[in-house]
Amino acid sequence: MSRRIVLATGNAGKVRELGALLAQLDIEIIPQSEFDIPEADETGLTFVENAIIKARNAAAHTGLPAIADDSGLEVDCLKGAPGIYSARYAGVNSNSQDNVKKLLTEMKDVPDTERTARFQCLLVFMEHDEDPTPLICQGSWEGRILHEQRGEGGFGYDPVFYVPTHDCASAELMPETKNQLSHRGQALKKLVATMKII
């Protein structure tokens, strides 16, 4: 019988990605939306703190081991902003378009050479809600912020994130290619490799 792990997100895309990667380990990923779990308050000041808060919340409410991620965009000329506030950069009820527009406005006079940025993903696995040694895996994806949006794929900041290795925006990549390159893909590979050892 496969091991059951709750994924501390309702995001169908994340559930699919994780499920596919962890299938080889005979692990069944269950989204927390299948349980009556209240959303965790992301009160941490770092990606890793917020990921731990989300994993602990899911484990506490289900009694199952939990995986959570916290991710976002860091722009060097903005001193790391939007960072942990990436999903609500333009305000609490903002959507992806609002956030992208705010980012482009903030950077309108920044030259190409100073538009360096990266996506960060912190993945956390906890055996239970009081696990004193959560498994933490990080992935980073280096790029630059474009002056305007390009492409129809992806989500969030993908239309303005330039990928130097492929000379295009993240939103112009095929999903399989993006999963190979991305911060989340890298963190997932590390997590799977570590869980194979455990």
Side-chain angles (χ1 to χ4, degrees):
M1 187 174 147
S2 61
R3 191 168 180 212
R4 301 169 80 226
I5 296 177
V6 64
L7 181 59
T9 182
N11 183 312
K14 288 184 187 178
V15 174
R16 260 195 317 277
E17 274 181 36
L18 262 170
L21 273 161
L22 294 174
Q24 58 190 287
L25 304 182
D26 199 27
I27 290 171
E28 181 190 357
I29 293 291
I30 306 159
Q32 74 174 22
S33 53
E34 290 191 15
F35 302 91
D36 190 20
I37 299 175
E39 286 290 322
D41 288 329
E42 295 180 40
T43 54
L45 298 177
T46 62
F47 292 122
V48 72
E49 287 175 313
N50 283 332
I52 288 172
I53 288 167
K54 289 188 271 192
R56 182 172 286 133
N57 180 62
H61 285 90
T62 63
L64 292 170
I67 292 173
D69 93 315
D70 200 47
S71 46
L73 179 71
E74 293 178 345
V75 180
D76 293 322
C77 68
L78 300 178
K79 298 181 180 172
I84 60 167
Y85 305 107
S86 292
R88 51 192 188 277
Y89 189 43
V92 176
N93 296 313
S94 58
N95 61 28
S96 292
Q97 268 308 304
D98 299 331
N99 293 331
V100 167
K101 283 178 185 165
K102 177 176 180 181
L103 179 67
L104 291 177
T105 301
E106 300 260 322
M107 296 180 67
K108 68 181 189 302
D109 299 322
V110 178
D112 284 351
T113 52
E114 293 170 34
R115 298 177 79 89
T116 50
R118 72 210 46 82
F119 280 120
Q120 297 279 13
C121 174
L122 267 293
L123 264 181
V124 168
F125 170 75
M126 296 184 81
E127 284 285 354
H128 50 80
D129 66 319
E130 294 181 15
D131 188 345
T133 53
L135 187 58
I136 300 168
C137 298
Q138 178 181 4
S140 298
W141 192 16
E142 296 288 333
R144 254 191 0 254
I145 302 302
L146 293 162
H147 292 272
E148 57 190 32
Q149 299 187 54
R150 286 167 42 180
E152 302 294 323
F155 59 92
Y157 296 93
D158 285 345
V160 292
F161 186 77
Y162 175 74
V163 184
T165 55
H166 288 63
D167 189 28
C168 67
S170 172
E172 295 175 295
L173 292 169
M174 293 298 289
E176 310 76 51
T177 307
K178 182 191 169 190
N179 289 344
Q180 285 296 312
L181 299 170
S182 79
H183 51 309
R184 188 167 293 110
Q186 293 175 47
L188 275 171
K189 283 180 203 129
K190 290 177 187 173
L191 183 70
V192 168
T194 310
M195 290 181 82
K196 276 182 179 170
I197 296 164
I198 293 172

